[in-house]
Amino acid sequence: MWVRSLLLCGVSFSFLLSVAAGTCKDADMHHEIISEGRPFAFNCSYPPVTNGAVNLTWHRTPNQSPVSNNRQLRNHQDQTWILFLPLEEGDSGIYQCVIRDAHSCYRVAVNLTVVRKHWCDSSTEGPRNLSLSDEYQQTLPMGKSGSLACHLYFPDSCVLDLIKWYKGCEELKAGKQYAFSGTKLLVNNVAAEDGGSYACTARLTHLGREFTVRNYIAVSIKEVVSGRRIPNIMYPKNNSIEVQLGSTLIVDCNITDTKENTNLRCWRINETLVDDYYNDSKRIREGIETNVSLKDHIFYTVNITFLEVKMEDYGLPFMCHAGVSTAYIMLKQPAPDFRAHLIGGLVVSLLLLVSLLFVYNSFKIDIKLWYRSTFYAAQAPDDEKMYDAYVLYPKCPRESQHHSVDTMALKILPEVLEKQCGYKLFIFGRDEFPGQAVANVIDENIKLCRRLIVLVVPESSSFGFLTHMSEEQIAVYNALIQDGMKVILIELEKVKDYSSMPESIQYIRQKHGAIQWYGDFTETSQCAKTKFWKKVRYQMPPRRYPPAPAVQLLRHTPCDHTSGKWDAVTGLITP
Ligand SMILES: *[C@@H]1O[C@H](CO)[C@@H](O)[C@H](O)[C@H]1NC(C)=O
Ligand SMILES: *[C@@H]1O[C@H](CO)[C@@H](O)[C@H](O)[C@H]1NC(C)=O
Ligand SMILES: *[C@@H]1O[C@H](CO)[C@@H](O)[C@H](O)[C@H]1NC(C)=O
Ligand SMILES: *[C@@H]1O[C@H](CO)[C@@H](O)[C@H](O)[C@H]1NC(C)=O
Ligand SMILES: *[C@@H]1O[C@H](CO)[C@@H](O)[C@H](O)[C@H]1NC(C)=O
Ligand SMILES: *[C@@H]1O[C@H](CO)[C@@H](O)[C@H](O)[C@H]1NC(C)=O
Ligand SMILES: *[C@@H]1O[C@H](CO)[C@@H](O)[C@H](O)[C@H]1NC(C)=O
Ligand SMILES: *[C@@H]1O[C@H](CO)[C@@H](O)[C@H](O)[C@H]1NC(C)=O
Ligand SMILES: *[C@@H]1O[C@H](CO)[C@@H](O)[C@H](O)[C@H]1NC(C)=O
Ligand SMILES: *[C@@H]1O[C@H](CO)[C@@H](O)[C@H](O)[C@H]1NC(C)=O
């Protein structure tokens, strides 16, 4: 029984121990040597855990007595801080802060040693020695400017102000050598004499009570090593390089390093040496390192060679390493020359437009004729007109002229336009009923026509246009021009001088031009597919009737049939 209770007791004791100690991990141990009589604060922080919501408590070992939260007490916990206002000699010892959250528990310990220091009081033996027990050690760079920091870390409940600096026992004044900036002392043009014991003091106000914080700082002077300690990669500078696909590229890595450093310098891709990464193809190789010794450092160059740039190289960082320093280059495809493309595109569009216009101009007649033959086939225009064109031509007394104009009007025009193309013409001198008054004929019939074909002969080779065309005809023709009827002007010979022609003819000629007749008047074959007739047909309205049998427009029109069967119908035009 006794043994059993002892056993039980032992088991529960060890269990309790394991709960108390075993579940908490020791995270950190800090050592603080602080002089007595000044305020001291320590913030418990263990970054992996203290970021979230945690329970944090301060204890003093060895008996784990908790530190009170009562802010009026000299020693208390203020949120994550432990505060001593001020430190007393008996405060030396180990303090633990226990950080507990839902899953874990950590212990951060502070080994606090309180020391007695003598500061420039007349009561003490004299100036202090620079001792290792000074709380802070700082350095100033020889020959340059440097700064010292007054470490004033206290919780927000403490207000700090009136920061003063001392060297030995003498207060420092701002001036040529010293300047103050917040909690910092700036020292200009540091000399050997600037080393030694410094102190900074500050007024601390907590819940209306005032304290003086005094930090002792042991300052040593250091020779600065000229140049940078770590290798400096001068090139590349994490830049990109435009390079054409398939070209060869060599890039230098230029590095400066101190003489003492024995760093490895190399090119890597994806953390692998390029020589290993492209072991098989040897397409990308690292060059042999070269060096130039300068005054106080060495300049190294190691290049990388791309025998042939491939698509997969673009966008990858090729890293130059020199010890801890790295810098990369990235290959980029050259941007297409925007301006060249734009200009090229414009030129091409312009050429295309010009050639389209050219093609249209050259073939517009054929296009229109083809269009008509395809879509207008034998479709009568729905107007009241009976004829497609009224043919107006001068009467020529002279035999030669007479012959050519009449042949044209009475034979060739009907042969092509009526027989081959299926138009219906009204030709004065052929279609009027005998005995009809001229004025009536013109008046009645011209209104039934869709076009007016005017045959013109040069003034010089005749006796004048006006004299050879009846007055009535001219009058009607003038009226029609005013009505807006379309006029087709056919020059039977080249007319050099239009000035003696009626103004309306001059106007038509100027506005719409004339069609020049090139052939002769020998009554031989005429084909609707020649250039001249295409031009005429182009001006004519769409075909009204199907062409005469055996004559196929725009298909294989037989152009070899002669007009020999035509009777000469001459001399029908009477004045
Ligand atoms: C004190 O520590 C806590 C975490 O424990 C942290 O959040 C806070 O920023 C610290 N305060 C100062 C002034 O460093
Ligand atoms: C902290 O501890 C108190 C009591 O000790 C408890 O009520 C509270 O929930 C704890 N908070 C956290 C975040 O663990
Ligand atoms: C605490 O510091 C004192 C003096 O600095 C030292 O003697 C002692 O061993 C330290 N204690 C621990 C647990 O480190
Ligand atoms: C100061 O240094 C001298 C010798 O350099 C030594 O004798 C003396 O004990 C030191 N005083 C203090 C307070 O450390
Ligand atoms: C790298 O150094 C070499 C040798 O001094 C020089 O020729 C080259 O221009 C430098 N390259 C760059 C990118 O600075
Ligand atoms: C770089 O290495 C990682 C992991 O080793 C791999 O997933 C990735 O594909 C590699 N990249 C290239 C470009 O080879
Ligand atoms: C490179 O390739 C050769 C054979 O091609 C092989 O012997 C060697 O081990 C390879 N090295 C690496 C680092 O892969
Ligand atoms: C690249 O390095 C090699 C040595 O490996 C050298 O022969 C070559 O001239 C270097 N190329 C350039 C462009 O610096
Ligand atoms: C500089 O290059 C030479 C050979 O060119 C080599 O012997 C020497 O070790 C190199 N120096 C350094 C510091 O790399
Ligand atoms: C270049 O990139 C590397 C790694 O990404 C980085 O360590 C280095 O600071 C960068 N250097 C510059 C000049 O940005």
Side-chain angles (χ1 to χ4, degrees), residues 507-574:
Y507 174 79
I508 295 289
R509 162 73 220 213
Q510 205 187 347
K511 195 93 195 260
H512 303 291
I515 302 170
Q516 178 80 46
W517 167 256
Y518 286 108
D520 52 18
F521 302 96
T522 51
E523 302 175 21
T524 49
S525 68
Q526 285 294 332
C527 176
K529 287 178 85 178
T530 61
K531 209 165 177 183
F532 171 80
W533 288 112
K534 276 185 180 172
K535 281 185 194 166
V536 175
R537 281 160 54 203
Y538 177 70
Q539 305 269 10
M540 289 293 285
R543 187 158 38 98
R544 184 175 174 174
Y545 307 106
V551 181
Q552 294 271 302
L553 184 71
L554 278 175
R555 296 200 195 130
H556 292 288
T557 312
C559 286
D560 54 350
H561 62 266
T562 59
S563 47
K565 59 187 157 106
W566 297 106
D567 303 319
V569 195
T570 52
L572 279 180
I573 295 179
T574 46

Side-chain angles (χ1 to χ4, degrees), residues 53-55 100-102:
V54 291
N55 256 349
R100 214 184 281 275
D101 70 1

Side-chain angles (χ1 to χ4, degrees), residues 10-61:
V11 165
S12 12
F13 182 69
S14 54
F15 175 74
L16 277 175
L17 265 185
S18 73
V19 164
T23 53
C24 259
K25 292 194 194 99
D26 283 314
D28 251 330
M29 170 73 116
H30 297 267
H31 295 271
E32 298 281 347
I33 303 167
I34 312 289
S35 55
E36 67 168 327
R38 58 158 280 191
F40 173 70
F42 189 92
N43 191 16
C44 178
S45 176
Y46 188 62
V49 249
T50 48
N51 290 334
V54 291
N55 256 349
L56 192 150
T57 48
W58 279 98
H59 305 271
R60 184 176 183 175
T61 55

Side-chain angles (χ1 to χ4, degrees), residues 258-259 261-263 265 289-293 298 300:
T258 53
K259 291 189 170 162
N261 279 356
T262 53
N263 284 311
R265 287 160 292 272
E289 180 184 302
T290 58
N291 65 62
V292 179
S293 225
I298 302 182
Y300 298 92

Side-chain angles (χ1 to χ4, degrees), residues 139-142 144 221-233 255-265 296-298 300 322-325:
T139 59
L140 287 173
M142 180 74 156
K144 305 207 169 178
I221 306 299
K222 273 212 173 142
E223 291 273 346
V224 278
V225 185
S226 61
R228 294 177 49 164
R229 291 262 197 94
I230 61 165
N232 180 24
I233 300 181
I255 303 153
T256 54
D257 204 348
T258 53
K259 291 189 170 162
E260 311 83 57
N261 279 356
T262 53
N263 284 311
L264 173 72
R265 287 160 292 272
D296 45 18
H297 60 267
I298 302 182
Y300 298 92
V324 294
S325 307

